[in-house]
Amino acid sequence: MTGEEYKAILTMAIDNEVESYAFYKGVSERVVDPYIKKLFSEFATEELGHQKLLEGFLAKDIKDMHFDESADYKVSETVDKPKLSLDMKPADALALAMKNEEDAMNMYAAFATASSDQSQKEMFQDLSIMEQGHKTKIEKYYVNVAYPEVW
């Protein structure tokens, strides 16, 4: 993979993190439910951290990004993506966040599959694993909120 291709991939990943930050921040500022307000504010802070991490890789031109693979509970795959509204129930807001992370994970996985350059393939795989970690975290919250009878 050329340096320009590497930078283009990281720039796209940074743009995705910026978009996720804006989404989570916007929801946290608009929803009424205090739990969702706090939770989405925390998600926004995490996305900002991911953006800064990726910007650090871009600035240093470091090609070795490796993330530990987290468990994938596949909860998101069983849920329909709800529409965003200001009076969303906590479970719906988490379902929307979970589906957004699933979409990002799948996009990077598809890019990895389509890549013929091994280092590019590995970068997309690592980015997919990072998004899977976000999805897993949200799935844990979702299960606790959507299925309180389990507890």
Side-chain angles (χ1 to χ4, degrees):
M1 171 170 38
T2 68
E4 289 306 311
E5 290 170 327
Y6 171 76
K7 287 179 182 180
I9 291 167
L10 282 177
T11 299
M12 182 192 64
I14 291 166
D15 290 345
N16 288 341
E17 296 298 332
V18 168
E19 186 178 302
S20 293
Y21 167 80
F23 168 74
Y24 291 135
K25 182 78 171 157
V27 171
S28 75
E29 292 171 347
R30 290 178 181 86
V31 296
V32 177
D33 184 279
Y35 176 77
I36 293 301
K37 195 176 271 300
K38 180 179 184 276
L39 191 61
F40 274 59
S41 178
E42 290 170 2
F43 289 157
T45 300
E46 281 188 24
E47 296 297 336
L48 195 57
H50 299 148
Q51 175 191 342
K52 291 190 184 311
L53 172 74
L54 293 170
E55 286 172 343
F57 283 117
L58 184 61
K60 295 177 184 175
D61 202 26
I62 298 172
K63 293 185 181 181
D64 294 324
M65 290 188 353
H66 301 285
F67 299 95
D68 292 332
E69 192 166 344
S70 61
D72 188 354
Y73 302 122
K74 304 271 187 211
V75 173
S76 176
E77 289 78 353
T78 67
V79 175
D80 291 330
K81 188 173 187 175
K83 298 232 183 255
L84 178 62
S85 78
L86 296 180
D87 55 346
M88 295 180 91
K89 294 179 181 173
D92 290 337
L94 288 168
L96 180 57
M98 187 171 59
K99 294 301 283 184
N100 286 342
E101 296 296 341
E102 178 188 355
D103 290 344
M105 178 188 80
N106 289 337
M107 177 191 68
Y108 288 133
F111 286 162
T113 300
S115 295
S116 58
D117 179 86
Q118 188 59 34
S119 61
Q120 179 177 309
K121 179 185 284 294
E122 289 170 5
M123 179 180 290
F124 281 128
Q125 288 169 334
D126 284 343
L127 289 168
S128 179
I129 290 168
M130 182 177 75
E131 296 299 340
Q132 181 182 336
H134 303 170
K135 181 172 104 48
T136 299
K137 182 175 184 179
I138 296 170
E139 285 177 339
K140 288 178 184 178
Y141 285 115
Y142 177 80
V143 169
N144 289 336
V145 170
Y147 305 106
E149 65 275 7
V150 173
W151 302 104

